[in-house]
Amino acid sequence: MKLLTAGGAAAMLHGGLLTPKAFAGPAKTAGGCKAFHSACQRNCYDTCAMLSYVDDGVLKYVEGDKQSTFTNGGLCVKGYSYPRRVYSPDRIKYPMKQIGRGTGNWKRISWEEAIDSICDKILSIKKEDGHLLGLALDKNSGSEGITNCAVIQGLFTGLGYTTRFEGSNCWPAGYDAQYFDFGDMVCNDPEDLANAGYIILWGVNPAWTSIHTMKFIYAAKERGAKVVCIDPVLTQTAAKCDEYLAPKMGTDGALALGMARHILDLGLADRGWVADNALGFPEFEQYLREKVTVQWAAEETGIPAETIARIAEEFAKAKPATVWIGYGLQRHTNGGRAVRSIDALVAMTGNVGKKGGGARYGQEFTWDFEYWPKSKMSPPAGSIGFVNPAKQKPGEPTVYSNRSLNRNQAAREMRKADPKIRMLWVSCSNPMSQYPNRNEMEKMYRGLDMLVVVDQFFTQTAELADIVLPTTTQFEEWQVNVSYWHYWLAINEQCIEPLFEAKPNTVISALVSKRMNELSPGSCTYQQDLTPKECMIRNFNDTIHKLNGISSWEDLLKGPVKAKRNPVSWAEGKFKTPSGKYEFLSAKAAEYGHPALPEYHSRRPNHDKFVVLTPHTKFGLHSQFINLDWMRDFNPEPCVYINPNSARSKNIVSGDMVRVYNKFGEVAVKAQVTDNVPEDTLLMYEAWFKNEKFNVQNVLDDAVADMGAYQFGGHRGPAIQEQFANVEKM
């Protein structure tokens, strides 16, 4: 594995050599273990159904659950490292207080002292300010279990109107794009990829990020499908495909539109499907004929015109054909438009609503839980909060709400916040290693009255905290989880007792609520007397039961279940747009300030020598897993990948320490020379390494994508793949 990761060597191998063998499963431990059903809670396409094996109260090993046809008995390398996550010597074991923010001078304290300090500060802010808008919550996607998605937000609602960092770091621009086009974001079952006759993997690297989906891609290949990878970087997925195209960064929309124009010219558009199911195709056709040519697309993308034409013709003639749209390509200032252009390419060829077809981005129909207690809490009587003039009617009582800030511009939002943010609670997140404009973020964090971090490890965010609270892993708590990609639902049974003094978020919230009401009766409405298991149970409802063909949550104790839904999205030809049709021409898009058609817009101009890419590393997920000693064996230190020609121009060779820098900050890191990246590109994988200052966020600004405001409360998505920097040898 070390050999394959060095210098991107895996991407050099012939695809057939990398086809995985059938999974046999690990050997059972001597003496036998008791098996428990588990569900991976990381923010990942695969959201694996798992089995956890426990002997005498100790988690021995984990494996994939074969009852799920998606997981099919296997896990990724990260998944197999879970026992080490549980028993890592680096876990936060007790509540800790830092004497002097960022000094590293930590003192162990009791839970009582920690909760008292937190509640005293909340009450003092409320007394001094007359409200709690100075109290902020940043809960992100570090743990995607349904209860974790809701419980801390429920606590904060129970405290009163507060400030919330909202929006999404992941997929907002493409999410909006699919809502404009389809009226919802729904993808075909990924297991349906096996039925495709032609697959384009556009800006996605499932060989690293969704390994279980790869078997369905292989199945399609075995049945004769062609698989094309479109990505600026020669990834391990690209190495497994039949053809690889490397467009210039941020030109995906131009490529899709150029393909669409050639399909028109050849008369290969599915005019029957378009006439029956779509709105605005004549206008889209006119735009293509007036503004787009294949030659123009070639000049924009750097891909030869004959290649664009050939791929377009192959895609249009193959039935069915599908595109998997990755999240990276929409993290650009033109990212939403790019996704709309790819959607249009799929729609105009009649591949929407077809078995083996579709514009695949993601889905959320499996997520229709109660989200208790978030959905059931109300602020205490008399709470004062944010006043939104748009919702305030003259002569009527004041309407209060939470104040919502865009986490993709967190430093900027904190700087201008009035009233100022005085106290921040961070849960299921590591903003210091995940948010852009990191140096400004640190300044804002250091200016807080109090920072509370709930985590399992001393992350770069925890290093700045006043109080750190230890929380449980998934094996120490009850939970339930679903995917934003596949259709499976799995229970997560508590299989071991919480280690040391770690507590689930449900218990932590109850402790805060109880103490708040002891100090100031009626100051928190969060329900205190439910166990974590009871909280999990409350998230089920009739909709979830019906969708998954279960009568009770207890049915999941027998194993994971799959949603009882047509695996082909939009098969009935009924869309959720205002017109009820697929909309090439979207009035809703125009309402939100975008072109009604999926028109092309170039990315913002470079403000430095190189484009900087910061995708996921193979052995980590955002800032998780790489800190584990087991995983550091595979990925011991960070590096920056640089093209040989660019390296020669800078007198850099592999192993040199280099400085990647721009006006926002810098990163000191080893260079790795490889022709897997273009000449104008520097690539550093996003990750948190224990005891290292390395942080790709140092050189990322907080520019936002073109879309995201429609479905994410006015908060546009990040443009973190449209960044620029220079490099020099140290």
Side-chain angles (χ1 to χ4, degrees):
M1 295 179 75
K2 291 180 180 179
L3 175 64
L4 291 178
T5 55
M12 300 301 186
L13 297 178
H14 185 275
L17 298 177
L18 297 171
T19 302
K21 304 304 180 186
F23 175 75
K28 298 296 185 288
T29 58
C33 294
K34 184 177 180 180
F36 293 82
H37 291 289
S38 300
C40 184
Q41 295 177 28
R42 308 284 73 79
N43 184 357
C44 171
Y45 283 106
D46 288 15
T47 311
C48 293
M50 302 166 57
L51 291 172
S52 301
Y53 293 90
V54 175
D55 184 25
D56 195 23
V58 177
L59 176 66
K60 292 294 187 178
Y61 66 94
V62 297
E63 64 180 354
D65 193 334
K66 288 187 176 181
Q67 291 185 78
S68 165
T69 53
F70 185 80
T71 303
N72 197 33
L75 299 175
C76 69
V77 176
K78 301 183 290 292
Y80 285 119
S81 76
Y82 264 129
R84 191 55 172 173
R85 184 184 181 101
V86 174
Y87 298 112
S88 170
D90 299 327
R91 270 192 71 177
I92 301 172
K93 301 173 179 65
Y94 316 102
M96 303 292 287
K97 180 178 181 179
Q98 186 168 204
I99 313 303
R101 185 172 298 143
T103 63
N105 183 15
W106 291 95
K107 171 188 175 184
R108 177 181 172 181
I109 59 176
S110 67
W111 272 99
E112 290 76 13
E113 182 180 349
I115 297 300
D116 277 353
S117 297
I118 291 168
C119 293
D120 286 344
K121 175 54 67 175
I122 293 172
L123 289 171
S124 70
I125 292 173
K126 189 174 183 179
K127 180 178 179 181
E128 294 164 13
D129 295 353
H131 52 74
L132 281 177
L133 293 178
L135 172 63
L137 171 66
D138 197 345
K139 186 273 164 203
N140 211 339
S141 60
S143 181
E144 282 287 87
I146 298 302
T147 304
N148 277 326
C149 286
V151 66
I152 300 299
Q153 296 176 76
L155 169 64
F156 267 63
T157 298
L159 291 168
Y161 296 110
T162 58
T163 296
R164 314 289 179 92
F165 284 94
E166 297 179 323
S168 169
N169 305 108
C170 297
W171 58 4
Y175 195 110
D176 270 15
Q178 291 228 313
Y179 264 81
F180 293 142
D181 296 338
F182 298 95
D184 198 355
M185 181 193 66
V186 185
C187 64
N188 282 26
D189 183 347
E191 299 179 39
D192 167 69
L193 275 165
N195 299 312
Y198 201 97
I199 300 172
I200 297 180
L201 303 175
W202 205 319
V204 67
N205 184 13
W208 281 21
T209 62
S210 184
I211 62 169
H212 295 90
T213 307
M214 289 301 295
K215 60 179 169 284
F216 304 110
I217 296 172
Y218 288 133
K221 287 188 68 172
E222 289 171 2
R223 295 174 60 180
K226 180 173 182 177
V227 183
V228 176
C229 179
I230 300 176
D231 199 304
V233 177
L234 181 59
T235 64
Q236 196 169 28
T237 297
K240 299 171 184 291
C241 293
D242 298 297
E243 189 161 357
Y244 165 56
L245 279 61
K248 296 177 185 176
M249 206 71 60
T251 63
D252 304 279
L255 177 56
L257 293 172
M259 292 171 65
R261 171 60 194 269
H262 189 66
I263 289 168
L264 275 183
D265 291 344
L266 293 181
L268 294 176
D270 190 335
R271 294 188 179 275
W273 187 92
V274 166
D276 293 340
N277 298 281
L279 174 74
F281 185 71
E283 291 86 349
F284 180 58
E285 180 176 3
Q286 181 179 359
Y287 167 75
L288 291 175
R289 295 196 184 282
E290 292 180 354
K291 301 293 185 180
V292 175
T293 66
V294 174
Q295 186 58 43
W296 164 83
E299 293 168 0
E300 284 288 315
T301 64
I303 297 174
E306 56 271 22
T307 301
I308 296 175
R310 178 175 50 78
I311 295 295
E313 185 173 348
E314 290 174 358
F315 185 83
K317 289 181 176 180
K319 297 293 182 180
T322 189
V323 178
W324 182 353
I325 306 169
Y327 300 144
L329 73 84
Q330 50 90 54
R331 293 173 185 148
H332 289 262
T333 54
N334 62 2
R337 295 188 190 191
V339 174
R340 288 203 69 203
S341 299
I342 297 171
D343 286 349
L345 177 68
V346 177
M348 70 182 292
T349 53
N351 281 298
V352 171
K354 298 294 193 301
K355 182 178 180 180
R360 301 164 188 261
Y361 189 71
Q363 62 82 15
E364 285 190 314
F365 70 83
T366 57
W367 291 72
D368 204 7
F369 290 85
E370 286 299 302
Y371 293 96
W372 193 95
K374 172 187 174 183
S375 63
K376 302 302 180 184
M377 292 295 103
S378 298
S383 295
I384 296 174
F386 177 71
V387 179
N388 186 342
K391 296 183 179 180
Q392 187 63 49
K393 297 181 181 179
E396 294 189 3
T398 302
V399 177
Y400 293 114
S401 65
N402 296 313
R403 176 172 58 176
S404 178
L405 304 180
N406 189 351
R407 61 167 45 100
N408 295 309
Q409 296 184 313
R412 184 190 305 239
E413 297 274 55
M414 291 179 74
R415 191 183 313 113
K416 69 180 184 181
D418 184 18
K420 68 175 291 188
I421 295 173
R422 300 178 55 185
M423 179 178 177
L424 176 62
W425 181 299
V426 176
S427 180
C428 306
S429 184
N430 180 13
M432 282 295 128
S433 297
Q434 292 178 269
Y435 290 5
N437 206 357
R438 191 255 185 204
N439 291 323
E440 278 298 306
M441 284 275 294
E442 182 172 342
K443 291 178 184 177
M444 295 299 103
Y445 275 34
R446 289 186 180 275
L448 294 166
D449 293 358
M450 178 178 281
L451 172 61
V452 178
V453 172
V454 182
D455 212 309
Q456 296 162 9
F457 296 95
F458 277 100
T459 64
Q460 291 189 343
T461 303
E463 289 175 355
L464 294 174
D466 298 285
I467 292 177
V468 170
L469 303 178
T471 191
T472 45
T473 65
Q474 68 203 58
F475 306 97
E476 301 158 86
E477 64 183 27
W478 282 88
Q479 196 54 264
V480 62
N481 207 13
V482 289
S483 171
Y484 51 76
W485 180 237
H486 61 71
Y487 289 12
W488 286 87
L489 164 67
I491 197 79
N492 184 86
E493 300 178 82
Q494 180 181 341
C495 62
I496 60 173
E497 290 299 314
L499 296 184
F500 306 102
E501 293 185 12
K503 297 183 185 298
N505 275 308
T506 47
V507 174
I508 295 171
S509 298
L511 289 174
V512 171
S513 180
K514 180 180 179 181
R515 187 58 178 153
M516 285 291 295
N517 285 309
E518 289 172 349
L519 295 171
S520 178
S523 60
C524 187
T525 61
Y526 181 90
Q527 191 167 343
Q528 306 164 24
D529 56 357
L530 293 180
T531 67
K533 183 177 180 180
E534 289 169 332
C535 288
M536 183 270 295
I537 294 170
R538 287 201 173 199
N539 280 284
F540 285 85
N541 55 34
D542 289 343
T543 300
I544 291 296
H545 294 159
K546 183 178 179 180
L547 175 64
N548 293 284
I550 59 177
S551 59
S552 164
W553 69 273
E554 293 177 294
D555 292 344
L556 298 176
L557 297 175
K558 303 172 187 175
V561 296
K562 189 174 184 180
K564 311 300 180 184
R565 180 186 171 104
N566 191 334
V568 179
S569 59
W570 313 115
E572 297 80 15
K574 297 178 181 178
F575 298 89
K576 295 184 179 180
T577 56
S579 67
K581 296 177 177 291
Y582 176 89
E583 294 192 354
F584 291 95
L585 182 74
S586 170
K588 182 63 70 173
E591 178 185 332
Y592 277 81
H594 311 297
L597 294 168
E599 300 175 6
Y600 181 68
H601 188 277
S602 60
R603 74 178 194 199
R604 60 178 176 158
N606 289 22
H607 56 65
D608 239 312
K609 173 75 173 177
F610 294 93
V611 174
V612 177
L613 285 181
T614 57
H616 297 318
T617 179
K618 182 175 185 176
F619 299 112
L621 190 65
H622 296 299
S623 63
Q624 301 190 70
F625 292 104
I626 293 298
N627 63 298
L628 301 180
D629 48 8
W630 286 6
M631 303 304 288
R632 291 201 302 273
D633 287 344
F634 298 128
N635 195 2
E637 60 183 355
C639 66
V640 57
Y641 292 94
I642 183 170
N643 184 275
N645 293 333
S646 302
R648 278 191 293 271
S649 72
K650 297 285 187 175
N651 195 29
I652 293 170
V653 298
S654 289
D656 283 346
M657 287 297 297
V658 299
R659 173 176 169 256
V660 179
Y661 64 95
N662 57 24
K663 65 180 181 180
F664 302 101
E666 63 181 56
V667 179
V669 65
K670 278 187 179 179
Q672 180 69 48
V673 179
T674 174
D675 57 7
N676 288 2
V677 298
E679 286 189 35
D680 68 344
T681 299
L682 302 173
L683 187 150
M684 298 182 291
Y685 289 113
E686 174 202 28
W688 167 56
F689 289 79
K690 178 195 170 189
N691 297 330
E692 292 217 27
K693 293 182 179 180
F694 173 80
N695 196 323
V696 299
Q697 312 301 331
N698 287 350
V699 294
L700 303 190
D701 65 41
D702 62 359
V704 290
D706 51 349
M707 295 181 188
Y710 175 36
Q711 290 294 314
F712 289 87
H715 302 317
R716 289 190 286 165
I720 54 176
Q721 301 295 14
E722 193 171 301
Q723 303 287 327
F724 313 100
N726 210 329
V727 63
E728 64 182 16
K729 186 175 180 178
M730 295 180 67

